[in-house]
Amino acid sequence: ISICRDLPNVEVITFSVNGISDLEPLNQCQNLSELYLRKNNIASLNELFYLKSLPRLRVLWLSENPCCGSDPHRYRMTVLRNLPSLQKLDNQAVTEEELSQALVDGEEITAPPTRRNVENGCPESSAAESTTETESELLNFSLEETNKIREELGMKPLPRDKFSSFSPQETDCNRKKRNNVLNAILLLMKELDMEDLEIVQQTVGRRLQAVRKKELQEE
């Protein structure tokens, strides 16, 4: 997610089901208001240290990460103590009572996590992992969140058959990379002015023509 260092004005980021473990690049996104990180490899709640400096963050989805632990109350209280401006955590509205209780039950995070050997990207699959479940989760949530970005940009929703049109030979890792590329392109478009967007439009038009020509030749 190092691309986020170059997106200071991005407002919505969706990286669910992507094997992410390090949130440090996000501390550059000062306009970020919504962050979706469900089902990644975030091991420590100390990663919240990098989000504490984001003044506009109002929505965070962090559930199903290792850092959530076995105590849901402690996890939620710790998140809210360190990010008291949140209005919604894990798709559940934050109440004033919770924010007050978080000052008592939550743990204050004052330092970043210790550096780990786990790198962002596609983790090695364990024997016990359900590939079918992983692929289904990836497609469902990536499609939902990609369409959220498209809605922000005033674009039509992407149909599922278009989004999941990967060849059977592709690995789960390759699917994730392609989804990341799509999301990154959509996010970067928000940084462009009219002149830049016209260049993108011309480039996409030429690319589409080339792809269609190739398809016709194959038929």
Side-chain angles (χ1 to χ4, degrees):
I1 62 173
S2 58
I3 188 176
C4 294
R5 295 191 180 98
D6 300 321
L7 298 172
N9 296 319
V10 68
E11 297 179 8
V12 179
I13 292 178
T14 62
F15 283 139
S16 294
V17 200
N18 273 296
I20 293 169
S21 60
D22 180 8
L23 302 185
E24 184 273 333
L26 296 176
N27 66 4
Q28 303 294 322
C29 305
Q30 291 296 298
N31 286 331
L32 188 63
S33 62
E34 298 182 26
L35 178 59
Y36 301 90
L37 293 168
R38 177 187 173 277
K39 206 168 187 179
N40 278 286
N41 291 336
I42 302 169
S44 171
L45 284 176
N46 280 25
E47 293 288 345
L48 295 174
F49 178 83
Y50 300 118
L51 306 183
K52 295 178 69 171
S53 61
L54 305 181
R56 301 185 179 182
L57 187 61
R58 296 293 181 268
V59 177
L60 175 64
W61 197 337
L62 193 61
S63 64
E64 296 184 76
N65 275 277
C67 65
C68 299
S70 58
D71 186 343
H73 178 75
R74 177 184 176 279
Y75 152 71
R76 189 172 177 87
M77 291 296 100
T78 296
V79 174
L80 295 182
R81 176 164 182 174
N82 291 278
L83 302 174
S85 296
L86 287 181
Q87 297 175 354
K88 184 178 287 188
L89 172 60
D90 297 337
N91 209 31
Q92 181 179 341
V94 176
T95 67
E96 290 295 332
E97 291 77 9
E98 284 184 309
L99 291 175
S100 298
Q101 192 64 36
L103 296 174
V104 178
D105 296 345
E107 178 183 346
E108 180 72 17
I109 295 172
T110 58
T114 55
R115 189 173 294 277
R116 300 175 300 280
N117 292 327
V118 179
E119 296 181 355
N120 286 338
C122 296
E124 294 184 4
S125 298
S126 64
E129 182 179 13
S130 170
T131 303
T132 302
E133 179 184 359
T134 300
E135 293 179 356
S136 177
E137 292 283 354
L138 174 64
L139 292 174
N140 288 338
F141 280 89
S142 294
L143 176 60
E144 176 185 343
E145 293 169 358
T146 294
N147 280 337
K148 185 176 182 62
I149 297 174
R150 293 173 71 89
E151 182 181 355
E152 291 280 336
L153 296 170
M155 302 168 66
K156 293 181 179 179
L158 194 66
R160 181 182 174 84
D161 60 342
K162 206 67 167 165
F163 188 81
S164 59
S165 58
F166 304 103
S167 65
Q169 289 77 23
E170 282 191 302
T171 65
D172 187 56
C173 183
N174 285 337
R175 288 191 180 100
K176 292 177 181 179
K177 287 180 180 178
R178 287 182 58 170
N179 290 342
N180 283 344
V181 169
L182 175 60
N183 284 338
I185 291 171
L186 293 174
L187 290 168
L188 285 168
M189 284 178 61
K190 299 178 70 173
E191 304 290 318
L192 304 180
D193 58 20
M194 183 175 294
E195 182 178 353
D196 296 332
L197 289 171
E198 289 177 349
I199 294 174
V200 172
Q201 184 181 38
Q202 294 170 5
T203 304
V204 170
R206 289 194 294 269
R207 173 63 176 158
L208 282 172
Q209 288 178 357
V211 171
R212 287 168 181 162
K213 183 177 180 180
K214 182 178 178 180
E215 290 180 346
L216 289 173
Q217 291 175 343
E218 291 176 349
E219 292 177 356

